[in-house]
Amino acid sequence: MPGLTIGDTLPDLEVETTHGRIKLHDYVDNTFTIIFSHPGDFTPVCTTELGMMAAYADKFAERGVKLLGLSADDVQSHNQWIKDIEAYNNGHKVTYPIAADPNREIIKQLNMVDPDEKDSSGQQVPSRALHIVGPDKRIKLSFLYPASTGRNMDEVVRVLDSLQRASKHKIATPANWKPGEAVVISSSVSSDDAKEMFPQGYKTADLPSKKDYLRFTNVD
Ligand code: BEZ
């Protein structure tokens, strides 16, 4: 069976976390939620990633986004590790819950298993997976990074800004887009509808094909 991916509904698992037991659908409620996994506690790259998430917590809160970390070890280990994460990352508090998965059941159901890495007891470990779940509880984006590469949290914020705009308007964001830059009008929108939907106006790129599919506008 293929693993959880874009468009799928997040399984409504009940997970043990540093903030107590959480049912995933209750936690998501009707917000965008980022669920991100880590290979293990007290490991170098993970310590920087969880700390960076703590440092970016205000940016996510401004966007109404919830965070849920996951690392394979148990809650007691997470609570000890959080002290290191906060100390290393200039005291930024880890205010989000971190789920435990000592039996590696959650990572299987959330498609977060590293295909190559195993721990010292031969169990599979989580990859650096990250799902953005929408208010409808469906997966909007999945990243899968190898254990050797820490993730770029600016990219996570940028994707959220794109997803949140695309959930409000019939637009998409072009390559290397950043907030404040022009977006493109979805191909499914006819020229007549585009005039009504985007009263601020739009510019059509002049292409050799003379087709009018690349239309730029600005939205908040
Ligand atoms: C790390 O966080 O540095 C790490 C964890 C597991 C495997 C490799 C690197």
Side-chain angles (χ1 to χ4, degrees):
M1 197 180 83
L4 186 74
T5 189
I6 294 183
D8 291 345
T9 298
L10 178 72
D12 192 15
L13 308 177
E14 192 163 340
V15 301
E16 197 70 57
T17 81
T18 48
H19 293 191
R21 284 188 83 75
I22 282 179
K23 279 203 90 192
L24 294 185
H25 283 199
D26 290 344
Y27 188 68
V28 171
D29 195 11
N30 61 356
T31 63
F32 279 91
T33 301
I34 305 172
I35 305 180
F36 49 104
S37 63
H38 300 268
D41 294 4
F42 301 102
T43 54
V45 177
C46 300
T47 301
T48 63
E49 287 191 314
L50 282 154
M52 200 56 79
M53 275 301 200
Y56 276 48
D58 288 349
K59 292 182 199 283
F60 293 119
E62 276 164 26
R63 290 162 174 80
V65 173
K66 288 187 187 165
L67 304 176
L68 174 62
L70 180 149
S71 180
D73 301 287
D74 62 25
V75 165
Q76 199 185 5
S77 166
H78 291 351
N79 282 328
Q80 293 305 315
W81 183 34
I82 284 171
K83 294 178 198 162
D84 285 2
I85 297 168
E86 291 176 347
Y88 177 70
N89 293 284
N90 304 317
H92 286 294
K93 291 282 173 211
V94 175
T95 51
Y96 53 84
I98 306 174
D101 191 20
N103 300 323
R104 317 298 150 90
E105 285 306 322
I106 303 169
I107 57 168
K108 285 182 202 142
Q109 296 195 61
L110 298 187
N111 195 18
M112 292 175 148
V113 177
D114 189 310
D116 296 328
E117 296 272 341
K118 298 243 178 4
D119 66 14
S120 52
S121 63
Q123 282 206 95
Q124 288 182 295
V125 295
S127 55
R128 296 187 199 289
L130 183 150
H131 298 307
I132 299 183
V133 184
D136 60 359
K137 322 264 187 315
R138 293 175 71 194
I139 306 293
K140 303 298 175 192
L141 166 137
S142 286
F143 285 156
L144 194 55
Y145 276 46
S148 54
T149 306
R151 285 158 284 193
N152 183 326
M153 303 317 169
D154 286 325
E155 174 62 2
V156 180
V157 174
R158 190 187 79 90
V159 171
L160 274 162
D161 284 335
S162 167
L163 283 170
Q164 291 188 326
R165 277 165 181 73
S167 70
K168 280 195 262 169
H169 309 280
K170 289 210 162 189
I171 60 97
T173 57
N176 286 8
W177 173 87
K178 292 192 289 303
E181 294 178 355
V183 301
V184 295
I185 299 174
S186 301
S187 306
S188 61
V189 178
S190 69
S191 300
D192 284 345
D193 288 346
K195 283 180 199 127
E196 266 187 42
M197 277 182 197
F198 303 98
Q200 66 275 39
Y202 64 89
K203 277 198 182 136
T204 306
D206 184 14
L207 299 170
S209 67
K210 298 296 168 203
K211 294 183 192 289
D212 61 357
Y213 59 90
L214 188 49
R215 298 166 294 179
F216 291 93
T217 190
N218 291 285
V219 296
D220 291 327

